């Protein structure tokens, strides 16, 4: 959106500048956008506007039902401009050119593009549906993350890809170009305001320019693999033997080569499954029964040694002196009873 604003401010009074959208299967141009700047989004990508001439837009879910304003769906094009199909490719034609559930006797072309309606009736283009990813059971639209990244003032371009680490774990990696060198921590914080946690990339890497294909599109296979995780946090090496042991365990669980005492477990790609693995390794190697819920409370490794005394006490001392008249929970006896009074607990 920043480039579009610059063009409009410099040349908008001399020429008409529009952002057009279309596909070959529907006669190239199907929509355009040329709203005045005071009615345009402040950040993000330039909308593709409204359908015009012989085209109609529909945004649908996986069952071809229309979606409401603001909800992501597949953009389909209808109208007289839709082609008959692909030459000598009947299977692909049947897949992409489907009967319209909205107009009898007409067909729709399923673009495979992800989009959503804006409140003013324009269409916000998000990206390709084949860039979807499934990580830890969540279906993620990488185009949605890219759109959110572009809302950060300093970011000019952004692309998010899915990579696998040495252990076969999938992780989101964000590559971006920006004015200056914004702090990764600030970028992560701003990005965390809207999307859920599982949509926040584990790796961020600033590039001088995004790699392009011969057709001028972003080459998603070309960005370099991230080396470690640049979280924008000052690296401080472990200072004690216990911190060194914890750092080594974190390295094994997270697949990182360098862990500092200020690093955040979840910013480095940690999640609930890895937290479970971490708990098991800490128990095996340090003989500490670490409650998994405490991983969220102590995200940074430097906080762990301070809590180990309390965790160790809790794990080796399951009973506390009960308050008078209270009911406490004891391990089940052969009778199957799990709740007992103070008198039975003391016996």
């Amino acid at each position: 959106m920043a480039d579009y604003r610059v063009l409009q401010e410099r040349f908008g009074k001399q020429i008409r500048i529009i952002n057009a959208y279309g596909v070959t299967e529907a006669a190239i141009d199907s929509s355009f956008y040329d709203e005045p700047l005071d009615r345009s989004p402040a950040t993000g990508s330039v909308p593709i506007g409204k359908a015009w001439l012989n085209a109609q837009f529909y945004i649908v879910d996986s069952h071809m039902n229309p979606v409401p304003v603001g909800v992501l769906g597949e953009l389909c094009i209808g109208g007289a401009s839709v082609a008959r199909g692909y030459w000598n490719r009947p299977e692909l034609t049947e897949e992409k050119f489907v009967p319209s559930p909205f107009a009898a006797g007409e067909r729709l072309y399923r673009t495979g593009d992800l989009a959503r309606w804006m409140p003013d009736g324009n269409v916000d283009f998000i990206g390709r549906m084949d860039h979807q990813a499934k990580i830890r059971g969540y279906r993620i639209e990488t185009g949605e993350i890219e759109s959110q990244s572009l809302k950060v003032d300093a970011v000019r371009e952004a692309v998010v890809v899915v990579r696998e680490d040495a252990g076969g774990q999938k992780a989101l990696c964000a590559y971006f170009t920006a004015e200056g060198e914004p702090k990764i921590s600030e970028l992560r914080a701003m990005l965390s305001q809207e999307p859920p946690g599982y949509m926040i990339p584990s790796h961020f890497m600033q590039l001088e320019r995004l790699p392009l294909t011969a057709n001028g599109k972003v080459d998603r296979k070309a960005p370099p693999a991230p080396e470690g995780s640049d979280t924008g946090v000052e690296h401080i090496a472990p200072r004690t033997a216990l911190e060194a042991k914890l750092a080594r365990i974190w390295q094994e669980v997270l697949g990182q080569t360098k862990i500092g005492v200020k690093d955040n477990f979840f910013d480095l790609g940690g999640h609930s499954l890895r937290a479970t693995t971490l708990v098991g390794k800490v128990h095996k190697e340090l003989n500490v029964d670490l409650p998994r819920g405490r991983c969220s409370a102590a995200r940074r490794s430097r906080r762990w040694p301070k809590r180990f005394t309390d965790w160790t006490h809790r794990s080796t001392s399951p009973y506390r002196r009960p308050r008078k008249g209270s009911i406490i929970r004891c391990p089940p006896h052969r009778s199957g009873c799990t709740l007992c009074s103070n008198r039975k607990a003391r016996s």
Side-chain angles (χ1 to χ4, degrees):
M1 195 67 207
D3 293 337
Y4 180 77
R5 284 185 172 277
V6 171
L7 284 175
Q8 288 285 11
E9 290 170 354
R10 291 183 179 179
F11 308 108
K13 295 181 180 180
Q14 305 171 30
I15 56 177
R16 186 182 181 188
I17 300 173
I18 65 175
N19 182 40
Y21 166 87
V23 294
T24 303
E25 292 85 347
I28 309 300
D29 288 336
S30 299
S31 70
F32 71 91
Y33 179 85
D34 66 343
E35 297 282 357
L37 288 180
D38 59 353
R39 295 174 55 184
S40 298
T43 57
S45 57
V46 183
I48 61 174
K50 302 174 183 178
W52 67 322
L53 297 179
N54 294 322
Q56 286 87 43
F57 277 177
Y58 305 92
I59 301 179
V60 300
D61 60 18
S62 58
H63 302 288
M64 295 299 291
N65 296 315
V67 298
V69 173
V71 176
L72 297 178
E74 181 180 6
L75 178 61
C76 295
I77 302 177
S81 62
V82 175
R84 297 180 180 180
Y86 296 107
W87 180 257
N88 289 334
R89 302 189 67 182
E91 296 83 5
L92 185 59
T93 297
E94 184 179 0
E95 175 188 350
K96 304 295 288 186
F97 295 86
V98 299
S100 173
F102 311 108
E106 293 190 5
R107 293 187 306 159
L108 299 179
Y109 172 67
R110 304 187 63 169
T111 66
D113 290 336
L114 197 65
R116 60 187 166 199
W117 291 111
M118 300 175 67
D120 60 2
N122 285 300
V123 174
D124 185 16
F125 175 84
I126 302 302
R128 292 289 301 167
M129 292 186 65
D130 47 20
H131 294 156
Q132 288 181 339
K134 196 168 186 180
I135 300 179
R136 305 192 304 277
Y138 296 104
R139 187 170 297 280
I140 297 173
E141 310 286 356
T142 58
E144 174 70 2
I145 307 174
E146 294 166 3
S147 179
Q148 293 293 335
S149 301
L150 292 173
K151 293 182 179 180
V152 180
D153 291 337
V155 176
R156 302 301 300 270
E157 301 172 295
V159 61
V160 177
V161 300
V162 178
R163 289 187 175 274
E164 288 191 6
D165 59 20
Q169 292 275 355
K170 293 182 178 179
L172 293 172
C173 302
Y175 301 90
F176 65 96
T177 62
E179 295 180 358
E181 296 184 0
K183 292 184 177 179
I184 302 299
S185 56
E186 295 178 357
L187 179 59
R188 185 189 299 274
M190 296 185 68
L191 194 58
S192 302
Q193 293 178 4
E194 292 189 30
Y198 60 83
M199 291 181 64
I200 308 303
S202 301
H203 308 278
F204 289 83
M205 182 177 292
Q206 183 173 353
L207 303 177
E208 186 174 336
R209 62 177 61 88
L210 295 181
L212 303 178
T213 64
N215 295 328
K217 297 182 179 181
V218 175
D219 189 348
R220 294 175 176 268
K221 298 180 180 180
E227 298 179 358
S229 287
D230 183 6
T231 60
V233 176
E234 177 190 5
H235 177 74
I236 298 179
R239 299 156 297 187
T240 66
L242 181 54
E243 287 181 350
K245 291 180 181 179
L246 285 170
R248 178 178 54 78
I249 295 175
W250 279 36
Q251 289 174 358
E252 295 174 358
V253 173
L254 296 172
Q256 300 289 336
T257 58
K258 184 173 66 173
I259 296 291
V261 298
K262 285 189 175 182
D263 285 332
N264 185 305
F265 180 77
F266 297 98
D267 287 351
L268 293 173
H271 48 73
S272 59
L273 298 179
R274 284 179 168 173
T276 301
T277 304
L278 180 67
V279 168
K281 283 185 171 290
V282 169
H283 175 70
K284 180 179 180 180
E285 300 188 25
L286 302 180
N287 196 29
V288 175
D289 289 329
L290 173 65
R292 195 182 71 174
R294 297 282 181 164
C295 292
S296 297
R299 295 167 178 257
R300 304 186 190 281
S301 61
R302 65 177 175 180
R303 298 178 182 174
W304 286 39
K306 297 179 182 179
R307 298 174 182 257
F308 265 27
T309 301
D310 180 55
W311 289 333
T312 305
H313 174 73
R314 289 172 183 265
S315 63
T316 57
S317 304
Y319 301 113
R320 296 182 178 181
R321 181 178 293 277
R323 289 181 293 182
K324 185 176 181 180
S326 63
I327 300 297
I328 63 174
R329 183 178 294 272
C330 296
H333 292 269
R334 291 182 180 179
S335 61
C337 176
T338 58
L339 289 177
C340 57
S341 66
N342 294 343
R343 181 177 301 175
K344 185 171 181 178
R346 290 193 295 268
S347 62

